[in-house]
Amino acid sequence: MGQHILDGTPPVPLILRKSARARRISLRVSQLDGRVTLTLPRGVSEAEGIAFAREKADWLRGHLDKRGVDQVIALGESLPIEGVERQIMEGQGRRVALHEDALSVPGKPEQVGTRVQAFLKQMARDRLAGASDRYADTLGLTYTRLTLRDTRSRWGSCTSDGALMYSWRLILCPPEVLNYVAAHEVSHLAEMNHSSAFWNIVTQIHGPYNEPRAWLRKNGSALHSYKF
């Protein structure tokens, strides 16, 4: 339907959408990127929906405050890489370089976010391909392809034809979390479900997984607050 700015301090952008399946007006705040969606059932006017949002303005801003602010990647900022907090610093030469507690990025300051993202995607591909190969070899199976995306609702997937997909933001997690997600998706090559047989395969190729799974549930949403 479009967008609307809810007046107040601070103003709140609303994404308006119509749904034939909705039975009542609803507001949803995405914990991944802070987007606010106002859903209107059929027959409810845009004005009525916006009036509803105004009534819920305090609740809405409270949820946005709890989520925290997005962090734009730039020189002097920091972000976790493989679970270790690294400060982004000005680099020399032509290549982005990873250090124990820093990431040096050469080039123009306005290109820092783009260059950091490209570096992280390549690093994620290397780590995820290595983990996927290792777990697939353990099962004696193969996957058909591996792709990276910036997904909002899942950290990975496996299709019936053996294609693996991962969120590149997994490179921000500790290695044991990335490895767990890889083991999870590779296990779907053998079991396209979440049965006890599936979880037995995850345990077989990865070992205990409760801790990395719990880490992702607790901390995963915050990884989407980094904007490049």
Side-chain angles (χ1 to χ4, degrees):
M1 287 180 61
Q3 296 187 341
H4 178 81
I5 303 296
L6 192 64
D7 294 335
T9 306
V12 179
L14 302 176
I15 299 171
L16 278 61
R17 61 182 291 265
K18 278 278 190 181
S19 172
R21 300 174 62 183
R23 296 187 176 183
R24 60 181 182 275
I25 303 172
S26 66
L27 277 169
R28 185 177 67 85
V29 180
S30 170
Q31 292 303 306
L32 298 182
D33 57 16
R35 291 196 294 183
V36 181
T37 302
L38 174 64
T39 301
L40 308 179
R42 182 179 295 171
V44 174
S45 68
E46 184 175 316
E48 187 176 351
I50 292 170
F52 174 85
R54 288 196 183 102
E55 292 176 2
K56 301 292 185 180
D58 289 343
W59 172 88
L60 191 56
R61 291 189 173 90
H63 273 266
L64 290 170
D65 286 344
K66 287 179 182 178
R67 178 184 174 272
V69 298
D70 291 333
Q71 183 171 329
V72 178
I73 297 303
L75 294 176
E77 300 293 341
S78 63
L79 81 164
I81 302 176
E82 294 193 303
V84 178
E85 202 70 20
R86 327 259 183 166
Q87 186 174 25
I88 301 170
M89 55 184 289
E90 185 176 359
Q92 303 297 320
R94 303 178 65 180
R95 295 179 178 273
V96 176
L98 183 67
H99 309 285
E100 185 176 350
D101 59 358
L103 185 70
S104 58
V105 185
K108 299 178 181 179
E110 61 268 25
Q111 296 177 336
V112 166
T114 300
R115 298 206 67 183
V116 170
Q117 186 181 64
F119 176 84
L120 294 176
K121 285 182 177 179
Q122 185 57 57
M123 191 175 178
R125 179 173 293 279
D126 292 344
R127 300 293 191 272
L128 286 163
S132 298
D133 289 347
R134 184 169 68 252
Y135 294 129
D137 286 347
T138 300
L139 291 176
L141 299 173
T142 58
Y143 56 91
T144 56
R145 64 183 181 275
L146 186 155
T147 59
L148 298 183
R149 298 179 186 171
D150 194 7
T151 47
R152 289 162 48 84
S153 60
R154 58 177 62 185
W155 294 103
S157 66
C158 176
T159 64
S160 58
D161 65 350
L164 301 178
M165 184 282 297
Y166 298 107
S167 168
W168 63 263
R169 289 180 187 262
L170 285 167
I171 198 61
L172 305 178
C173 304
E176 59 268 24
V177 177
L178 180 148
N179 287 335
Y180 157 68
V181 175
H184 183 118
E185 300 310 332
V186 168
S187 294
H188 281 307
L189 295 172
E191 291 284 342
M192 287 297 293
N193 52 58
H194 287 100
S195 64
S196 58
F198 165 80
W199 290 109
N200 287 340
I201 293 172
V202 177
T203 302
Q204 173 192 336
I205 64 176
H206 176 274
Y209 55 81
N210 286 339
E211 287 190 13
R213 190 182 186 201
W215 188 99
L216 200 54
R217 286 181 171 180
K218 179 180 179 181
N219 303 290
S221 293
L223 302 181
H224 290 271
S225 66
Y226 297 99
K227 303 302 178 185
F228 299 84

